[in-house]
Amino acid sequence: MSRTVLVARPDSAGDVLLAGPAVRAVGAHADRVVFLAGPRGRAAAELLPGVDRVIEWQAPWIDADPPPVTGEHVARLMEALPDAGEAVILTSFHQSALPLALLLRLRGVGRITAISEDYPGSLLDVRVRIDEARHLPEAERMLAVAAAAGFPPVDGGALAITPPPPSRVGPPGYVVVHPGTAAPARAWPPSRHREAVEALADEGFAVVVTGGPGERALTAHVAGGHAIDLGGLTSLPELAGVLRDACALVAGNTGPAHLAAAVGTPVVSLFSPVVPAGRWAPYGVPYVLLGDQEGPCKDTRARICPVDGHPCLAGVTAAQVVKAVRELVR
């Protein structure tokens, strides 16, 4: 009988990319892997080796802009779910796996594994407990869940995606600057990004600025006359190709930082401490962490900066970014 396993991480693109090593572990022991993703993570899920099918559903307890809980919305998930004998639910430390476990139980999934600090009753067959004080990297945390479910690691556990298309930007070796973030509390000021682009260009680096369709004004401002502006012009696979040929990425704690890690590109990480860097810093590649990791916003999980002046990142200078890039590419 075919062994179909549902792997769920209905979160953002970066979180899905960090789930890649766990997905490969499951895929090595299953006949078919179906990945349950949210709208912000679907494109990333489609890049993961080992995924046979992607289901998109917006979880009301996960998404930052959650849909209402209605019978119709839940019915859409039930109709889309495969006849899977088991499921592995992957979550961050501040998320609960139990709402999804309940729905999967009602759908008839027979064996469910997830992390749960709360008593899961009959919702979980394998309850994983993690010492959250350790701030285990997300990729390793999810690998531990897969292993507890009976899917041990099959490789070194690095991030990986299917090979992206070739970049058409120009000769490899440029620096990519990605100024956008999903949460404003994680963003370096646009003026500082522009200063960094100018400084990098003055140091002889070719610079490419990237961003999503809604960030074209931002990327145009940051690029100025010193960089190629690709704002709104790349799909996720195309962005992966651009990042693969870069010598370094300059970005905040955002999906492209993890995409760069998945294609082996070093990262200058402008990291706001609203979440722990130990969990979400670029994984498996060289990186330089910039930003005050002991700032007053530490561990608040704030999406909007709770401190006037955004001191954790506003103090980072363009000169520091240039120095970090040089450290990574020398």
Side-chain angles (χ1 to χ4, degrees), residues 122-142:
S122 59
L123 296 181
L124 298 180
D125 298 285
V126 181
R127 178 190 185 187
V128 183
R129 306 291 288 273
I130 297 287
D131 179 5
E132 301 293 7
R134 293 176 55 202
H135 291 322
L136 195 67
E138 283 288 286
E140 296 176 18
R141 190 173 182 275
M142 290 186 274

Side-chain angles (χ1 to χ4, degrees), residues 231-251:
L233 299 180
T234 57
S235 64
L236 197 66
E238 289 167 341
L239 178 58
V242 172
L243 292 172
R244 180 189 55 193
D245 289 347
C247 66
L249 167 70
V250 178

